[in-house]
Amino acid sequence: MFLIGFLYLASQSVKKIIEINPYMLGTMAGGAADCQFWHRNLGIKCRLHELANKRRISVSGASKLLANMLYSYRGMGLSVGTMIAGWDETGPGLYYVDNEGGRLKGDRFSVGSGSPYAYGVLDSGYKFDMSVEEASELARRSIYHATFRDGASGGVASVYHVGPNGWTKLSGDDVGELHYHYYPVPPAIAEQVMEEAAAE
Amino acid sequence: MECVFGLVGDGFAIVAADTSAVHSILVHKNNEDKIMVLDSHKLIAASGEPGDRVQFTEYVQKNVSLYQFRNGIPLTTAAAANFTRGELATALRKNPYSVNILMAGYDKEAGASLYYIDYIATLHKVDKGAFGYGSYFSLSTMDRHYRSDMSVEEAIELVDKCILEIRSRLVIAPPNFVIKIVDKDGAREHAWRQSVQDVTTASL
């Protein structure tokens, strides 16, 4: 993550996937404080909706609430690039929402400074009917390749699965270790070995 | 980069808009519908900043609905266009919306009409109009081939000519377009023109 205006890496161990409620997740890109605050605020509004209407809020509704909130602060320097992922009566839903108030519905998105790199891997491997294992590996690989090229991306690649009964965390791998997992270093063959000289 | 254009024919109005949702160098989506159906016989084709575009057009749509609920009859196209321009004008010196709009509608008395409303609240009733970089190519094409008594088929041919021109001459041309039409039978989607489907290399 980084602050607007200059590059500042504060921590490599920040949780970038925010659990809004047991069946909805939000991702964090842009300003960490803004994302954390507004996602928590969205969680509050979603819970109030449940209490007032006696039913869960839809992913479309939740993302619209967030987009409207962010739109009312446009021009004031918020930095939020997020995806709202969840499951409702219409099935799985994925929305992209940003601080300019833009909101897009789609099958796949990538957000943040490393997003073009991630798109490259994501687009070449994506099929709508892929299995959960394939999708989770594709997601992990896309994050890895983005962090490889983008200086402001890194840390831990977390993968979550959102199903009809809510979300579960599938994996959280340190990207540095993922590198050697995908591209192991072949053991070097020593041509010359320095050994203890035999005692004269 | 966002291309919107439209024209009026014999008893109908057609608008076309590109369908790319772009953020800097990234195309987030290439099937985003930017032509909103305002009510049964009106269309708004809008281009501009993503937040403003959706929020402002929805605001206009809800106010048009409210008028119909309160008064029992729908607004005319001219009235809706003037309302839209008024809202843009009021916001202009305080909290401006960066949205350019082509409003197409059909009224029983006035027939088909097209209104050009730009982001600084200019309002013109026009036979043909266009916004964005694509307008440099589509306006002259429409000027050359347009006639006020065109049939739907001829108008679609002209729209396709414009789309072809934009695709071949504009440096970062949007690949996909949506075409919507409004006539005495109402406002509806007519066709999509897609040169890039959402097909990923994995499924090739």
Side-chain angles (χ1 to χ4, degrees):
Chain A
M1 61 176 179
F2 58 96
L3 299 174
I4 316 164
F6 55 95
L7 195 63
Y8 171 62
L9 289 168
S11 165
Q12 293 281 51
S13 59
V14 173
K15 267 189 72 173
K16 292 193 187 170
I17 297 189
I18 298 154
E19 296 144 11
I20 298 169
N21 61 43
Y23 58 97
M24 214 178 296
L25 295 171
T27 63
M28 183 201 296
D34 285 337
C35 288
Q36 278 180 1
F37 179 87
W38 288 107
H39 277 127
R40 193 162 170 103
N41 191 280
L42 177 63
I44 293 170
K45 286 209 164 83
C46 290
R47 179 69 183 134
L48 286 171
H49 175 100
E50 274 178 35
L51 292 168
N53 298 90
K54 276 185 149 187
R55 51 186 269 172
R56 282 182 182 171
I57 191 171
S58 63
V59 188
S60 168
S63 58
K64 191 83 178 170
L65 277 176
L66 181 64
N68 287 342
M69 276 193 275
L70 295 176
Y71 181 73
S72 61
Y73 283 89
R74 74 186 168 122
M76 297 190 204
L78 285 186
S79 170
V80 172
T82 184
M83 294 181 281
I84 304 294
W87 194 286
D88 59 31
E89 313 161 322
T90 62
L94 181 66
Y95 286 83
Y96 161 84
V97 178
D98 67 25
N99 54 274
E100 291 176 9
R103 171 176 168 268
L104 297 170
K105 182 173 181 5
D107 289 337
R108 63 191 189 283
F109 289 109
S110 174
V111 191
S113 57
S115 61
Y117 303 113
Y119 266 126
V121 176
L122 191 60
D123 285 336
S124 59
Y126 174 82
K127 287 193 297 285
F128 184 72
D129 51 0
M130 46 196 320
S131 70
V132 174
E133 292 75 31
E134 288 173 333
S136 128
E137 181 53 31
L138 181 64
R140 196 174 305 115
R141 201 73 196 241
S142 309
I143 301 281
Y144 159 74
H145 281 284
T147 61
F148 183 74
R149 285 290 183 181
D150 177 39
S153 301
V156 173
S158 314
V159 181
Y160 285 67
H161 171 258
V162 185
N165 301 319
W167 55 260
T168 45
K169 183 163 182 178
L170 294 179
S171 68
D173 300 291
D174 180 280
V175 175
E177 282 166 29
L178 269 184
H179 172 80
Y180 292 106
H181 173 70
Y182 291 135
Y183 301 103
V185 178
I189 303 165
E191 291 181 4
Q192 290 172 317
V193 177
M194 195 146 119
E195 281 177 354
E196 290 280 338
E200 287 294 314
Chain B
M1 227 66 70
E2 293 193 357
C3 303
V4 173
F5 61 94
L7 58 111
V8 176
D10 185 19
F12 67 92
I14 274 191
V15 281
D18 79 287
T19 59
S20 300
V22 168
H23 196 103
S24 161
I25 60 164
L26 250 185
V27 179
H28 276 302
K29 213 179 160 191
N30 54 20
N31 56 358
E32 170 81 352
D33 188 353
K34 297 178 190 168
I35 306 183
M36 173 178 280
V37 174
L38 211 55
D39 71 10
S40 63
H41 287 75
K42 286 187 209 31
L43 291 171
I44 277 194
S47 74
E49 277 182 30
D52 284 349
R53 174 171 62 77
V54 174
Q55 295 279 354
F56 183 71
T57 53
E58 283 188 3
Y59 173 70
V60 171
Q61 186 193 52
K62 303 316 173 203
N63 272 284
V64 167
S65 291
L66 181 61
Y67 181 94
Q68 181 161 0
F69 280 129
R70 279 184 176 154
N71 300 285
I73 53 163
L75 277 170
T76 59
T77 313
N82 276 279
F83 167 74
T84 305
R85 183 220 101 89
E87 290 304 307
L88 283 170
T90 312
L92 182 62
R93 301 289 186 180
K94 295 171 194 160
N95 190 13
Y97 297 103
S98 305
V99 200
N100 296 310
I101 283 171
L102 278 178
M103 187 182 289
Y106 182 88
D107 312 293
K108 262 223 291 277
E109 303 81 22
S113 47
L114 183 68
Y115 286 86
Y116 170 105
I117 308 168
D118 76 6
Y119 73 105
I120 39 178
T122 311
L123 173 67
H124 275 303
K125 184 174 185 303
V126 293
D127 287 332
K128 46 188 155 41
F131 283 110
Y133 285 124
S135 68
Y136 285 96
F137 309 103
S138 52
L139 278 173
S140 55
T141 310
M142 287 195 287
D143 286 339
R144 170 67 183 84
H145 297 289
Y146 173 83
R147 286 180 342 271
S148 55
D149 59 349
M150 294 179 93
S151 67
V152 178
E153 293 73 30
E154 289 168 336
I156 294 291
E157 268 178 32
L158 180 51
V159 165
D160 278 329
K161 267 202 187 78
C162 294
I163 291 175
L164 190 59
E165 191 61 20
I166 291 170
R167 274 189 186 147
S168 49
R169 287 295 187 184
L170 185 55
V171 59
I172 304 185
N176 301 337
F177 286 80
V178 64
I179 305 172
K180 294 197 180 177
I181 187 170
V182 60
D183 60 15
K184 64 175 177 16
D185 300 321
R188 60 194 179 278
E189 188 178 287
H190 179 87
W192 285 72
R193 296 283 185 253
Q194 292 181 304
S195 67
V196 172
Q197 309 263 14
D198 189 30
V199 172
T200 58
T201 53
S203 44
L204 282 176

